[in-house]
Amino acid sequence: MILAELHPDTIPVTAPRTHYGSDEQGAIDDCWPGFFHRTHRLLRSDGLLLPATRQRRDAGLLTDPLGLLIATARTAGFRYLQHIVIVHGFPAEDRIVPAPPADAPPGLIHSDLLVLHA
């Protein structure tokens, strides 16, 4: 099992371009596809990758990287199993009071943990 925190500032808004050659087998570029390919090779066939991430603010809008991350992980051979939402808050009577991390963009109320099977 590998747990990796993927900081939102390091995740591209659009799919990164990769530079795969005939002998590279899609695993040695330094972008997110390379990370997922290398991680897939490191894990045993029953292994799990648990990437944790959150949204970021781009030009005033929250951008969610999950779709791109899941697509990139699937391309590397991972199977998507589960999405766990981590709420940044605490219960107070019948509601949840927001308590985002100090470095979070305005409006962030949760982080995401994906469960991917090798």
Side-chain angles (χ1 to χ4, degrees):
M1 180 182 306
I2 296 175
L3 172 63
E5 181 182 9
L6 309 181
H7 194 279
D9 291 341
T10 65
I11 300 169
V13 177
T14 59
R17 293 177 116 358
T18 58
H19 307 287
Y20 300 145
S22 59
D23 59 341
E24 295 173 356
Q25 301 173 12
I28 58 176
D29 72 81
D30 291 329
C31 297
W32 287 111
F35 165 78
F36 283 111
H37 279 279
R38 288 188 300 271
T39 305
H40 192 269
R41 284 195 325 222
L42 286 172
L43 287 169
R44 294 170 24 165
S45 62
D46 61 346
L48 296 175
L49 172 62
L50 306 172
T53 192
R54 63 182 189 211
Q55 301 89 359
R56 70 175 183 213
R57 190 162 291 280
D58 290 316
L61 300 172
L62 281 178
T63 300
D64 190 345
L66 290 184
L68 177 62
L69 289 177
I70 292 168
T72 305
R74 283 182 171 163
T75 299
F78 282 100
R79 237 178 5 149
Y80 169 85
L81 295 180
Q82 185 71 41
H83 173 192
I84 300 168
V85 175
I86 303 159
V87 175
H88 301 295
F90 58 90
E93 297 178 6
D94 63 345
R95 61 190 180 92
I96 295 175
V97 176
D103 65 338
L108 180 81
I109 59 170
H110 78 279
S111 292
D112 303 283
L113 180 67
L114 299 175
V115 182
L116 305 170
H117 186 263

